[in-house]
Amino acid sequence: MGTLGRVRGEVMRKIAIAAATSLLAAFQGAGAQQNDPEFAERLREALDERATTRPRLAPPPIGTPAREAAVDAIDWIEMRRALAVSAQRDSAARRQTTTAVIARPPGLRAATAERFRRVAAIEINLTRLPLLAPEGTRVAETLKVYSLGDSYSAIAEVDNGVGMRMSGARRKIIVGDLKSARSRVAAMRAERKSLPSIGAPYLITRSESATDLTFAAFGAGYVLSIMCDAPDDIRCAEDDFITKLASNILLFNPEAGEQ
């Protein structure tokens, strides 16, 4: 979080504390006592009425724990099937060309940590989902992987002035059966195209700091992000660069599976 975000968060925290303190003083001035059985309930209702940061969708009542994000099962068989399909495409491309340089088709290809100077094998072995990262000469020289078991992040330089981060996770957030959420998800799915590397639908979004390509595959969710040094860099301003980067994906743990 940047300085501005921290300042904004601190201001909102102080406003909330001030509002709660003011309400508490008002209740006590009116003769309410903290040991009054109805004191807590009346204070909660008053805070609900005074709240200035409530989201558009009402939050769960105070004291109700949030639902834990679910851990999806990984389809390791589908992962290996996608790897085999890419291998077949590569073999067919080699048979159909007589030139020294073979233009490989998009695909998913196996890789080992030993090929990458900065990738530690222990990080690969800890990961309980398919560990994916884009392929590239500069990526191979600079790639680093950090794993938390059910999630991971990989960072690297892609080209001069362009960095990348790819994250994957098995956990998903349950949004419930809200009509507005279903409509928004349906609209996003309708806009998605399909990655030529693994046939997974994807969505590209942009923020002030990054261009993100999001997709789901094999029971996990992934985000490939690129960050450009120059704000007007066409590689981040348009879709071609990031989709090309996602068109050739490396799989670092092809032998992994549920334990």
Side-chain angles (χ1 to χ4, degrees), residues 71 74 76 122-131 145-153 168-171 220 253 256 258:
V71 178
I74 297 298
W76 301 102
I122 189 172
E123 301 291 344
I124 307 299
N125 297 334
L126 282 173
T127 309
R128 295 187 291 272
L129 69 153
L131 201 162
V145 175
Y146 305 93
S147 178
L148 293 175
D150 285 336
S151 63
Y152 78 91
S153 288
R170 294 181 59 167
R171 293 186 177 273
N253 53 350
E258 299 291 1

Side-chain angles (χ1 to χ4, degrees), residues 119-208:
V119 175
I122 189 172
E123 301 291 344
I124 307 299
N125 297 334
L126 282 173
T127 309
R128 295 187 291 272
L129 69 153
L131 201 162
L132 309 179
E135 189 175 22
T137 303
R138 183 75 68 88
V139 173
E141 296 171 352
T142 60
L143 185 68
K144 293 183 180 179
V145 175
Y146 305 93
S147 178
L148 293 175
D150 285 336
S151 63
Y152 78 91
S153 288
I155 61 173
E157 295 177 8
V158 179
D159 202 351
N160 292 333
V162 183
M164 82 90 194
R165 177 184 65 252
M166 187 160 185
S167 302
R170 294 181 59 167
R171 293 186 177 273
K172 63 180 180 181
I173 299 174
I174 307 300
V175 297
D177 192 28
L178 298 173
K179 184 177 180 179
S180 59
R182 292 200 309 271
S183 299
R184 187 167 185 178
V185 169
M188 291 171 64
R189 285 175 175 168
E191 295 177 358
R192 292 189 299 182
K193 300 177 182 179
S194 184
L195 280 177
S197 53
I198 53 178
Y202 70 90
L203 181 70
I204 294 178
T205 57
R206 289 179 172 85
S207 65
E208 293 182 358

Side-chain angles (χ1 to χ4, degrees), residues 63 96 100 116 150 173 225:
Q96 293 173 5
F116 301 84
D150 285 336
I173 299 174
S225 303

